[in-house]
Each structure stands twice: as C-alpha cells, then as structure tokens.
Amino acid sequence: MTMSSTLPSTQISTKQRGKAHVLLGMLWRDKFAFFATVFLILAVLCALFGPMLLREAAVAQNLRARNLAPFTLERGWLFLLGADALGRPLLARIVVAAQNTLMIAAGAVVCSGVVGALLGLVAGYSSERLSNVIMRLADVIMSFPSLLLAVIVLYMLAPSVGNIVIVLAITRIPVYLRTTRAEVLEIRQRMFVQAAKVMGASSLRIVFRHILPMVVPTLVTIATLDFAFVMLAESSLSFLGIGIQPPEVTWGLMVAQGKQYLTNAWWLAFWPGLAIILTTLSLNLLSNWMRVALDPAQRWRLEIGGRKNG
Amino acid sequence: MKGKRLLLGLMMTASAAASAWAQEAKDITVVLDEEVDLVEPCMATRSNIGRIILQNVSETLTELDVRDKKGLMPRLAESWEEANPGTWRFHLRKDAKFSDGSAFDAGDVKHSIERAMSDKISCESPRYFGDTKLETKVVDDNTIDITATPAQPILPLLMTLVTIVPAETPIEFTREPIGTGPYKLTEWKAGQSITLTRRDDYWGTAPEVTKATYVFRADPSVRAAMVAAGEADIAPLISELDANDAEMDFSYPNSETFYMRLDHSIPPLSDKRVRQALNMALDRDAFIGTLLPKGAIKATAIVPPTTLGWNPDVKVAPYDPEGAKKLLAEAKADGVPVETPITIVGRTNNFPNVVEVLEAAQQMFEEVGFKTKLQMYEVAEFEKQYSKPYPENRGPLLVAAQHDNARGDPVFSMYFKYDSNGRQSGIANPDVDKMIAEATAATGEARAADWKKLIAYLHDDVVADVLLFHMVGYARVNPRIDFTPTIATNSQLQLSEIRFK
Amino acid sequence: MGKKMMRRIVSSFFSLVALVVMVFFLSRLTGDPAALFLPIDATQEMLDKFRELHGLNDPLVQQFGRYVWDVLQLDFGDSIRKARPAIDVVLESFTWTLQLALITIALVTALAITIGSVAAFRPGGLFDRFVSLVSLIGASAPDFWIAIVGIVVFSITLGWVPTSGTGTVWHWILPVAVLFIRPFGLILQVVRGSMLTAFGSAYVKTARAKGVGNRSIIFVHTLRNAMLPVITVIGDQAAAMLNGAVVVETIFGFPGVGKLMIDSILQRDFNVILAAIMVTALAIFVMNLLIDIAYTLLDPRLRT
C-alpha cells in the first residue's frame, strides 16, 4: 500500500489492475479524501504507538516552560505546539492522548450505532406492538438526563474507562434508533422490497440484504459527527470522577482544562480541539467519498472529477 | 418650521432613550459567580447569600472590622458587657427601623436567635454554636441578656453571624427578607437578577450607591468581560488568569486555606516520618507566582494570619527531597508499608486550576519515592471522602480541601478539623482534644496563647496534615468606582464601602 | 387514526411513569442532600434535623408513596435548595429553554434544508465543498470556543451585542448563534446525504428519463422522499435542546433548564430533578408524536 505504486496507476487502464488499486487511484484524485485518509492513519498510528514512545515526555512537568507559546523551537520539536500550564509539551500530550480518546470515542459510537441500528431495524420492520415498545424506550432514554445517568453509574459501579463508554453509548442510542426506523419505514414501501417479499425472501434476508445497505449511509453521516460530540462530552464525565483521571489524558479533557486559559493562552485548548475537528472532518470526508466510490451508480462522478483535475 | 420642531422632538426622545440605557450615575451592577437559591437572612453566613444581603439588607448586633483592623465593632448593639459569667448584656440602638417600617427592639433580637436555632428550619447559624445552648431574656426594649451554656467567651464575636429579622418573621425560609440595613430588596427576577435599592430611613449614614443590581454568570471569563465591556461595575470573583489589567484588577486574601487532610488511622500515614516526608517533598515556593497567584502565602496553620492566636514562630517545613527520602527509608526499615499507593482526592472546580496544582504536587511526592494516584470528584462524592463517617476499606488518602475562616477566631476551625470527634478530623489525639477544649473556654490573652500552643503542637509535634497555602482571590472593579476588596469580600460585600471617583 | 393516536398517548403516559419511578429511586441512591445543603462542618444533629424536616429518614417506598399522592394532587413538592415549589422553578426556566429551542430549530431547519439540498445538486462542486467544510468545522468545534471567541469579538472588540444576560432582543443573538452551529452542521450533512441517495433512486431517474427536465419538479420529488430521516434528526436535535443548552446557559447567564438540571443533580435536589424530567419528557414526547404525524403527512404510504 505504498504511494509510489498508486501514482502511476492513474495512467494505466483500470481493467488491468485490482479493485484496490482502482480505489486508491480514485482516492488520490480526490485530494480531500486523500488527506483525510492520511490524517486518520496518522491518528491511529499515534494511538497505537504514541503512549509507548512519548509517555515520559508527555507527563514531564517543567514549571519554567509553563504556558510556553507555540512555534518556539529552542526546547525541541516536542514543544512545537507550545506547552500546557505545567510546562508539558502539547504535541507529545496530543499524541499520547490519541489512544484513550479514539478508544473511548470509537467504543461509544460503535456500540450506540450498532445497538441503535439493530433496534431501529426491528422497530421499523416488526409488528406494531414491539415497535411501539422500542420507540417508547427510546423516548425514555432521550428524556433521561445523561448527567444523572453518569452520577448513577458512578455510585453503582467503580470508576473505569469502560463505564464512560457505557454512559456515552446509552445516551446516543436513540439517535441511531430513530433514524434507522424512519429510513426503514420509507424503504420497506419501495418497489424492490415489495418484490423481494413477493418472491418469498425471508424477513431477515430482506432486512439485512435489502434494507440495511440503504440505511447505512445516513447512519455513518451521523456517526462521524457524533465522534466529535462524544470526544467533547467525555471530558464532562471525568469531571464527575468517572473514568479518565489525570495524569491520564484525552483530547476532550485537554480542551476542557484549557478552557480557562482561552483568553490568555489560547493554544492549550486550541490544538486538542483542532485534533478533534480534524478527526471528525476526516471521518466525514472519507465516508462521503466512500459512499460515492462504493456505489456503482455514482462512481462516474469521481472518475469525471478526476479527469478534470488531472 | 414644523419640520424643525419635529426633528427637535425626535432628538429629545432619542436622547431620553439613550440615557435610560446607560447606568444611572450612582447605580451599580455586581456580577457574581452563582445564582442564589435563597436570600434568607439566617443563611447569610453562606458566602453567596452573604455577599448580597449581609449588612446591606440584614444587619447583625456586632460586626468584625477587617478593613481598618479595628476588630469587633458595634452595629445594631451599641455596647455589651458580660453581666454574669455566661450571660452577656447587649445595649441596642434606639433609632433603627426595619424596611417594613416597624421599629427595631429587643424582641426582634430574641426572635431572630430563636428562629436561627429552631428545629423547624435549616439555618446555617447553629454550626457556629456547636453544642452551646442560647437563652435570651428581654430586659427592656433596648436591652437583652443572652446566656450561653456552657459559657461562651466569644459570644459578642458570634453575634456577627446572627442576622436580625423582625419578630413577626415566620419560622420558614422567606423570599422577602426584611432587615434594618441601608438597602431593601426591591426586585428578584429568578435566574436573572436581584436588585437592592437604598432606603431613605436608614439609621446610619446614607451610602453613596443608590441601587445595586446583582447578576449571575458562571463563567469567570464572562464576568471579567462584563466589567471590561462596562456592563458591570464589580466582579468580586474572577480567575487569576483573566486578571491581566492592573487598572481594574485587585487581589485580596480570600480567607481560604488549601491543605491536604491526612487520615492518621491508616498506614503508612500513621507513621510520623511518612507525614514529615510528605511535607518536605513539596517545593511550595515553586507554586507561588506560577500555578498560584503571587500573593498566596505558605500556610503553617489552617487559619489565616489575621486570626487570633496565629503563631508566627511556627515555620514551614523546608523543601528537602533528600531528607524526605531518608525519612522514608527509615520508616521502611521499621516495616512501615511506604510503598502502598496513596490516593490524592481533589474536588473539581475547587479553584480554577486545582487539577494542575494537584498534578504538580503528585509529581513532587513521586520524586521522593511515594506511589500516588490522583482522583478528582464532584462535590457530593468528594464530601463523602472528606467528612465522617469515612468510607469502609479506604486506602491511605490525602484529601485536598479548602477551608474558609475569616471570622477572626480559630474556634470555627479547630474542633471540626482536629478534634477526635470533628467531622473532617484525620487525627484522634487526646492531648489535642484537651487543648482545643481549653482554648475554646479561655478568654483574652490566655485564649490567644492557648491557640498559639495548639497551632505549634499540631504543626511541629503531631504533623497533623500537609498545610499548603492561604489563597488569594481576584476582583475586577470598574475604574469609575472606588472599592478595594479585603479578606471579608469572600463572605460579604458592603455596598456602603463603595464610593465613586 | 384517532384510535392509533389514543394508543400512542396511553403508551407515552406509561413510559413517563416508568421514567419517573426510575429516576425517583435511582437518584436517591446517589447521595444525601443534607450533606450538600448544610455547610461542611455541620454537626450530626443538624444533619439529622435536616433529614427529618425533609422526610428523608422515611423508608424509600413510603417517600415514593407520599410523592405519588402529592403529584396526583398536582403538588410536585418543594425544592430543597430554593425553598419554593419545584414546578414553579422548572416552568420558569423551561419557558426560556423553549423559546431558545424554537427560535434556533426554526432557523436551523430552514437554512440547513435549503443549503443542504442546493449543495447536493452538484456534489463535489465548489459550493458543496465549501458549505460542507465550514459546517463540519462548526459542528465539531467545542461550543465554548465559539461562545467565548464570540463574546471577545462581537461584544468587547466591536461592541455590537451585549456579552451575556437577558433583556433585549440583542441579548439573544449570541446564544442563538452558538446553539445554531452544531445542529446546523449535522442536519445539513443528513439533508445532503439523503438528497444524494434520493437522486440516485429509480424514480428520480425515471423522471429524468421521461424528460421532466424541470429542475424544480425533481427537486420537490427528491426532497419529499429525503425528508423522513431529516425530520427524525431535526427532532432529535430539538429534543436535545429541550433538555437545555448547558454551555450556552452557563456562559451567557441564560436561565434555562439545562443548568437548572445540572445544579439540581449535583445538589441532589430530587423534587426539582423529577419536575424537570416530567416537563422536558412531556415536551419530548409531544414532539416525537408530531414527528410521527409528519411522517404520515409526507408519505401517505405509511398510513396504515
């Protein structure tokens, strides 16, 4: 998967290459999607290896470098983005924090997305009675204050990272559930689903083969933006005493801690906030690109666009 | 001609409207950090309520002057003396009137004390009296005897904490406080603002401020911004981080003392050498002027230096990491489990950068060989760790807390924090209990000497806790106003002290 | 239709009851309001007295029975902290929240649908790219950034609007703007995505093939088809706003229900928590009902 092999592939007839090559070629032609991918790969690498390599540097305090402004190089490249209130290099902290941040955000978004989508499919396709029960359950979760849920979890279970994921996932379920159901209600009326029914396809097959693929794009759109929401919401749970505690750190926690310095040392909250924005943006751009790239009916858009550009 | 007149009329209307928008010259706006839930006079010792009504709406018999360090001053009482042992006689002023028009007399004082101590209402005042029972006897309209059992040598000082309400006030929380003060509450828009207006029939000198509007903003930057934008005149609490304008920003000792409470019943904190090592591991000077404001003072007692019996001879433990390591090694050799991880418990939002301060302390502890973990809690969970009954199966804990005592006497701190039965006490030492009891009962010079002895004993011999700093607060004041905050600003904000330039 | 509606209302009522029961018991597990209301050095005697006064010493079931009995007589109890009826406290702040939510959601809906569908008309085009990028950045930026930078720029530097507070129409501009940004980004993306899917679907193609060249007809067809998920997401965002906008309320000193809820939870002011949940839940249930009605209006096939 090196870049050198994808570069010339644009000139070669796509037929001779595998599907992966075609996709990579298309990715290279869409610069937004390309940089999104690069950023995400970088983030994942940070999450995997960051704590191993930079943990020491990320927790080393130095009050003399307190709130050091960004873009000063005399203290080394780790201080490129400046230092926090205890003189710890922000760059190192952002890299190290990637692990906890991505783990919690991905955990919460995937859990809520999967559970929400499954319940939504059931609610949209099954009997009205069952559907009604599920929808009222969603109403209850929506009206249950998430902070109260967090406080209750704190009192009943010991503080741990897993509990953050549980609290965040539960509060986000209704969004996916209701959206899935709304889509299913519409799609199940369409011609091709009715046709499949007539031809005797089982409910399970209809739901997973015909309906789910139509629902996924909307869910992914919501999920990518939920990433940002979850990363920021997570810091408010640390405040209660659940989960991540200093000197462990996440981007959300860095943003929250940097808040009070916003007017005199903006970089404390800015860089981790930027990391959150870029991650969300990348996920969204990539998912938009994938929706087009994986849909044979729409792929022409990318190919045309590519030719124009290059 | 007609057109001209019309234009003139328009201009006049416009200018009238403009002046309605601007602040009246002698009206001020104060921006506070939290909305008050109550404006109940008997809760005025709670700082957020006291800042609005204490001595503005509701007055007390006596008043502690810290601005000119004059000590205990008369307010609604003109003078007082100890009539018999345990009984104090207060002579009340004759010219004071409540804002509802009724005259102030001894019956009002009697009712106010009974109301504050009543079982039917959860006032704050009883906390300051502990097990002391109060009895009142009206001698005549302007004289009242107050008897405390057991005898209470500082009863006149305690009277700075009891606000006086009319005898007709029902024994339940009121939303319309009536007082003898220079202002009356004229408007309360829930969630938005509270307005006090100057009274014309106040018994004392009329203050300059005619009307004060209190608004509430939870975010410290916004409070600072409001004064900068001219929307507010005083923000008594802003963050040090936002205090960047010497013209407008004033620091003041806010009477809070930051310390770490140690639980002596659990090893390794049960060993004195370990406690000494904790104290020696901290480079306190490194905090001041960096994480904490320059004005913060290293603490040797849980009460600030303005308190009676504060002991100047007690010295802060020197920063000595090598010495700390040595003490730990000695303790370890004697079988003390010094490697047991110690949890540092903090309260989120205790003060602006509490997390950073504790992280720095944590690193200093680790450098001399302690194993520590930091755990921040919201207030309810923190309270469970800080106050008795302590949780079962707790490990060794350092509870980082702030204690507020601007009342001038250590009696408001010592029992709670150091007596064997004190709710936040980490020690159970019969000698300390005895010393607290003696000092509490003592008067005059002896009282100061007793407190001094206790403070030295706790710090040097018991090594009761890790005392850190007497903290500093920041206020932002609009340049049109002449007001300097003091140590009392944390608990009250007397509008009569505000002048215009 | 009427019968279905009745069933819906009955089942909503039961979920409200379930919610209240759950919150009543669970919240009481989480701590003691006495320790939080009284000063930290209160004596044991004061604590006991306080609990007695507020009936916190009785067995939970008895407390619950008393609460239900009172609620049936429309007495929602007193706020411990504020010493006044909980329902008054909640309704006061809910009025503010409701206004803020309605204004914001109306603006978001109008702008997100218009701009999103225009962007979907030429996916990958300059307009689409620009709108997506800006709205995504807005939607994923921490909201207090936007709020504080907004105050610094528009109130302090330019002096156009007041920093915070309530009173004039000018006071609403910053809070609404800050609250607007996130749902706008999200709904815009969903509109755009749904429109893309709908453009690709068979009948729009048929319409195109038939030579219904008129862009507006295609547009209306597609939009109607794409609206179901969009309405759902709008509903979810509105529900979130009805629960209060904590950051906006905290920073702009806006007396809404979000901060009230947080304060009440942190102070364990149970009666206010319960009253607030009942009011917001009712609003959310009504809104979800309206959404379901909107489904059937938009798509007659869903009428069963």
Side-chain angles (χ1 to χ4, degrees):
Chain A
M1 180 156 151
T2 56
M3 286 306 132
S4 57
S5 72
T6 60
L7 277 175
S9 74
T10 49
Q11 264 93 51
I12 300 166
S13 162
T14 46
K15 273 182 201 165
Q16 296 163 351
R17 295 279 169 169
K19 210 175 167 189
H21 275 102
V22 179
L23 276 180
L24 283 176
M26 274 160 46
L27 190 58
W28 172 243
R29 264 174 269 153
D30 185 334
K31 293 294 180 291
F32 276 103
F34 176 75
F35 284 112
T37 318
V38 171
F39 180 81
L40 288 177
I41 292 172
L42 196 70
V44 171
L45 287 178
C46 288
L48 290 177
F49 303 108
M52 232 186 307
L53 298 172
L54 290 174
R55 153 102 31 192
E56 291 279 302
V59 297
Q61 298 172 10
N62 177 3
L63 288 179
R64 250 161 306 180
R66 178 179 145 69
N67 291 348
L68 187 76
F71 313 120
T72 42
L73 284 170
E74 64 253 33
R75 283 178 189 273
W77 62 275
L78 279 176
F79 285 86
L80 184 69
L81 301 185
D84 73 358
L86 289 170
R88 298 171 293 199
L90 283 171
L91 181 59
R93 287 178 71 70
I94 288 175
V95 168
V96 170
Q99 188 172 56
N100 281 328
T101 311
L102 294 182
M103 214 161 63
I104 291 171
V109 170
V110 169
C111 286
S112 56
V114 169
V115 174
L118 283 179
L119 286 175
L121 287 173
V122 175
Y125 204 77
S126 68
S127 73
E128 209 196 316
R129 180 173 297 239
L130 183 58
S131 161
N132 225 328
V133 170
I134 294 178
M135 293 316 289
R136 294 300 78 75
L137 182 72
D139 284 356
V140 169
I141 299 178
M142 272 167 98
S143 339
F144 202 101
S146 51
L147 184 81
L148 183 61
L149 180 71
V151 172
I152 292 167
V153 168
L154 169 68
Y155 276 78
M156 307 224 283
L157 311 167
S160 80
V161 176
N163 289 337
I164 299 189
V165 175
I166 293 176
V167 172
L168 291 171
I170 290 178
T171 54
R172 301 310 292 166
I173 284 177
V175 181
Y176 299 96
L177 197 167
R178 297 176 51 83
T179 314
T180 310
R181 171 174 167 269
E183 292 257 21
V184 173
L185 285 182
E186 193 262 328
I187 295 165
R188 66 186 274 192
Q189 307 291 339
R190 287 208 199 155
M191 206 78 86
F192 70 97
V193 177
Q194 301 294 351
K197 246 189 201 161
V198 172
M199 283 156 71
S202 71
S203 293
L204 216 60
R205 189 179 160 82
I206 293 177
V207 167
F208 283 99
R209 278 301 300 254
H210 298 286
I211 295 184
L212 186 61
M214 305 283 290
V215 180
V216 164
T218 310
L219 292 186
V220 170
T221 307
I222 298 175
T224 53
L225 278 174
D226 242 17
F227 242 80
F229 182 81
V230 165
M231 286 184 213
L232 293 170
E234 166 264 310
S235 64
S236 60
L237 298 183
S238 301
F239 148 81
L240 290 175
I242 307 182
I244 297 293
Q245 291 290 328
E248 286 288 313
V249 70
T250 61
W251 293 344
L253 208 55
M254 290 176 77
V255 169
Q257 276 196 25
K259 179 185 170 198
Q260 52 185 323
Y261 301 92
L262 200 60
T263 43
N264 48 26
W266 54 267
W267 50 94
L268 264 64
F270 179 77
W271 298 119
L274 189 66
I276 291 176
I277 293 179
L278 286 178
T279 309
T280 311
L281 204 57
S282 302
L283 283 168
N284 196 281
L285 289 172
L286 191 65
S287 74
N288 276 348
W289 176 82
M290 267 161 64
R291 148 188 292 195
V292 180
L294 297 179
D295 181 355
Q298 304 225 8
R299 191 181 295 175
W300 58 273
R301 293 180 188 281
L302 287 178
E303 281 157 3
I304 288 177
R307 252 170 251 152
K308 263 189 206 153
N309 287 345
Chain B
M1 187 63 199
K2 215 176 179 184
K4 228 179 192 174
R5 200 178 287 165
L6 190 69
L7 192 70
L8 202 70
L10 270 176
M11 275 167 64
M12 278 170 71
T13 332
S15 65
S19 65
W21 276 105
Q23 289 257 9
E24 287 291 330
K26 297 290 169 77
D27 291 357
I28 64 161
T29 302
V30 180
V31 54
L32 298 173
D33 62 326
E34 54 177 332
E35 210 220 322
V36 284
D37 300 314
L38 300 163
V39 286
E40 164 58 53
C42 80
M43 299 292 278
T45 44
R46 202 191 259 183
S47 58
N48 60 347
I49 299 172
R51 265 180 227 126
I52 299 177
I53 63 170
L54 192 58
Q55 312 300 9
N56 291 331
V57 174
S58 296
E59 295 183 296
T60 50
L61 291 185
T62 56
E63 179 188 8
L64 187 66
D65 179 286
V66 292
R67 186 171 293 279
D68 305 316
K69 301 199 173 53
K70 280 188 271 187
L72 201 58
M73 299 292 287
R75 187 95 188 195
L76 282 175
E78 284 176 323
S79 63
W80 52 88
E81 74 264 339
E82 194 164 18
N84 321 302
T87 299
W88 289 81
R89 172 162 293 185
F90 289 86
H91 302 279
L92 311 176
R93 17 179 87 257
K94 302 188 179 77
D95 51 352
K97 258 201 198 117
F98 286 101
S99 57
D100 65 355
S102 62
F104 159 73
D105 62 29
D108 299 316
V109 177
K110 182 179 167 65
H111 179 71
S112 299
I113 292 176
E114 283 167 3
R115 182 174 181 270
M117 300 296 169
S118 167
D119 276 351
K120 305 204 170 50
I121 180 172
S122 303
C123 291
E124 279 222 343
S125 324
R127 84 189 245 219
Y128 296 106
F129 292 88
D131 296 328
T132 311
K133 296 279 167 274
L134 294 185
E135 254 178 81
T136 49
K137 206 179 103 209
V138 176
V139 180
D140 60 46
D141 268 3
N142 300 304
T143 318
I144 188 164
D145 283 351
I146 305 176
T147 311
T149 357
Q152 187 50 270
I154 55 160
L155 195 69
L157 179 65
L158 285 168
M159 284 300 124
T160 60
L161 307 169
V162 180
T163 49
I164 305 302
V165 293
E168 299 76 36
T169 315
I171 303 192
E172 60 183 29
F173 283 153
T174 172
R175 289 178 61 76
E176 282 151 8
I178 307 283
T180 53
Y183 294 85
K184 61 182 175 208
L185 190 149
T186 45
E187 193 181 28
W188 183 0
K189 287 194 220 156
Q192 300 173 69
S193 65
I194 288 183
T195 306
L196 303 186
T197 312
R198 190 173 71 186
R199 284 173 60 189
D200 297 328
D201 52 350
Y202 179 56
W203 58 266
T205 334
E208 283 189 30
V209 174
T210 48
K211 197 169 97 180
T213 306
Y214 297 85
V215 296
F216 316 101
R217 300 288 183 271
D219 190 282
S221 324
V222 175
R223 293 196 292 275
M226 281 184 74
V227 179
E231 288 173 36
D233 299 298
I234 301 182
L237 304 157
I238 65 168
S239 163
E240 181 217 349
L241 308 163
D242 294 316
N244 47 19
D245 186 338
E247 278 273 297
M248 297 193 282
D249 301 329
F250 299 90
S251 73
Y252 58 95
N254 67 2
S255 76
E256 300 273 7
T257 302
F258 185 50
Y259 80 116
M260 290 179 178
R261 202 274 313 283
L262 310 181
D263 185 345
H264 291 215
S265 63
I266 292 184
L269 300 178
S270 49
D271 192 278
K272 186 173 159 185
R273 287 164 296 190
V274 174
R275 301 197 295 270
Q276 280 170 327
L278 284 169
N279 270 297
M280 287 152 73
L282 287 178
D283 182 3
R284 289 174 173 78
D285 289 314
F287 288 90
I288 299 178
T290 55
L291 289 170
L292 296 173
K294 275 207 184 67
I297 302 169
K298 290 183 277 180
T300 53
I302 197 152
V303 290
T306 45
T307 316
L308 180 84
W310 185 79
N311 193 336
D313 303 328
V314 179
K315 294 284 171 251
V316 183
Y319 171 51
D320 180 7
E322 292 314 311
K325 278 182 200 159
K326 222 162 78 194
L327 281 172
L328 272 190
E330 277 173 35
K332 193 179 176 186
D334 290 348
V336 179
V338 295
E339 262 136 41
T340 319
I342 299 175
T343 309
I344 304 171
V345 177
R347 201 189 98 195
T348 39
N349 293 341
N350 199 353
F351 52 86
N353 50 3
V354 59
V355 180
E356 284 93 336
V357 169
L358 291 180
E359 283 191 75
Q362 182 186 21
Q363 170 159 303
M364 291 173 188
F365 289 143
E366 301 221 322
E367 264 162 23
V368 302
F370 285 103
K371 292 216 165 36
T372 56
K373 194 181 137 236
L374 183 57
Q375 176 71 48
M376 302 299 297
Y377 283 119
E378 52 100 20
V379 56
E381 180 67 22
F382 175 81
E383 163 81 348
K384 282 201 335 205
Q385 313 280 337
Y386 186 36
S387 294
K388 284 177 184 170
Y390 298 135
E392 296 281 326
N393 303 325
R394 60 193 187 276
L397 293 184
L398 297 182
V399 181
Q402 280 197 119
H403 173 65
D404 176 6
N405 185 346
R407 315 268 177 226
D409 196 283
V411 73
F412 304 111
S413 308
M414 292 303 178
Y415 178 82
F416 304 110
K417 306 300 177 202
Y418 297 112
D419 189 273
S420 305
N421 294 317
R423 269 189 79 214
Q424 287 89 34
S425 170
I427 65 175
N429 184 325
D431 294 338
V432 172
D433 295 356
K434 215 172 109 218
M435 290 166 87
I436 294 176
E438 277 170 14
T440 305
T443 50
E445 290 293 311
R447 189 178 181 89
D450 281 358
W451 288 130
K452 261 187 184 168
K453 212 170 74 187
L454 174 67
I455 284 170
Y457 186 67
L458 284 170
H459 185 272
D460 298 338
D461 298 301
V462 182
V463 194
D465 38 27
V466 181
L467 292 165
L468 294 168
F469 305 100
H470 301 302
M471 306 290 271
V472 166
Y474 280 86
R476 178 168 280 192
V477 181
N478 190 320
R480 82 184 177 106
I481 276 178
D482 180 13
F483 172 74
T484 331
T486 67
I487 191 164
T489 304
N490 203 29
S491 45
Q492 62 180 33
L493 184 64
Q494 292 201 34
L495 295 171
S496 56
E497 294 177 353
I498 296 170
R499 308 250 182 289
F500 295 89
K501 281 177 187 162
Chain C
M1 192 72 190
K3 208 169 156 195
K4 202 176 161 188
M5 198 74 123
M6 239 2 254
R7 255 200 321 242
R8 172 67 187 264
I9 289 170
V10 170
S11 66
S12 291
F13 175 75
F14 279 113
S15 34
L16 185 61
V17 171
L19 183 70
V20 169
V21 174
M22 246 163 50
V23 170
F24 186 94
F25 286 101
L26 288 176
S27 62
R28 262 156 236 254
L29 291 179
T30 62
D32 179 9
L36 292 165
F37 182 87
L38 295 173
I40 198 147
D41 36 21
T43 57
Q44 192 57 45
E45 198 192 336
M46 288 171 74
L47 289 170
D48 293 341
K49 207 173 89 181
F50 184 88
R51 290 198 195 105
E52 189 62 45
L53 204 62
H54 292 275
L56 295 165
N57 281 333
D58 304 330
L60 267 188
V61 181
Q62 192 184 333
Q63 289 184 39
F64 184 66
R66 198 166 51 217
Y67 185 74
V68 171
W69 180 243
D70 287 347
V71 167
L72 289 178
Q73 301 168 52
L74 292 181
D75 173 4
F76 293 83
D78 277 1
S79 157
I80 288 184
R81 289 196 312 148
K82 294 175 192 275
R84 52 189 290 241
I87 195 74
D88 293 0
V89 175
V90 170
L91 287 179
E92 261 163 28
S93 43
F94 188 71
T95 328
W96 289 102
T97 295
L98 193 63
Q99 293 177 48
L100 193 61
L102 287 179
I103 295 175
T104 314
I105 214 71
L107 282 175
V108 168
T109 309
L111 288 173
I113 292 182
T114 324
I115 298 177
S117 32
V118 171
F121 228 84
R122 284 206 52 203
L126 200 63
F127 182 71
D128 178 36
R129 280 268 150 103
F130 176 74
V131 166
S132 283
L133 211 61
V134 171
S135 67
L136 280 170
I137 290 175
S140 47
D143 33 14
F144 72 84
W145 275 16
I146 302 168
I148 298 218
V149 171
I151 288 179
V152 169
V153 173
F154 295 105
S155 303
I156 296 184
T157 315
L158 297 172
W160 289 352
V161 285
T163 55
S164 54
T166 50
T168 66
V169 71
W170 299 104
H171 286 96
W172 288 75
I173 293 178
L174 277 181
V176 169
V178 172
L179 201 54
F180 171 88
I181 287 172
R182 202 185 128 75
F184 173 74
L186 181 64
I187 294 169
L188 183 97
Q189 286 300 311
V190 174
V191 170
R192 182 184 171 277
S194 295
M195 291 293 277
L196 279 181
T197 316
F199 277 136
S201 71
Y203 74 97
V204 176
K205 279 190 189 143
T206 322
R208 274 187 171 157
K210 272 195 204 148
V212 187
N214 193 335
R215 278 191 159 199
S216 61
I217 292 179
I218 298 177
F219 203 78
V220 170
H221 258 273
T222 323
L223 191 61
R224 179 176 239 191
N225 216 23
M227 271 318 269
L228 248 52
V230 172
I231 286 188
T232 315
V233 177
I234 292 176
D236 287 331
Q237 294 301 309
M241 279 184 216
L242 289 176
N243 275 326
V246 180
V247 169
V248 165
E249 289 169 22
T250 322
I251 292 189
F252 296 107
F254 212 87
V257 83
K259 186 148 189 308
L260 176 73
M261 182 79 96
I262 288 207
D263 289 344
S264 312
I265 291 172
L266 292 182
Q267 297 291 330
R268 314 294 189 263
D269 197 346
F270 301 130
N271 285 339
V272 177
I273 302 178
L274 284 163
I277 285 177
M278 278 190 249
V279 169
T280 52
L282 204 64
I284 290 172
F285 290 179
V286 169
M287 202 188 53
N288 284 347
L289 191 65
L290 292 178
I291 290 172
D292 277 5
I293 295 173
Y295 284 177
T296 47
L297 291 180
L298 275 172
D299 196 337
R301 289 171 303 175
L302 293 179
R303 264 178 225 156
T304 44

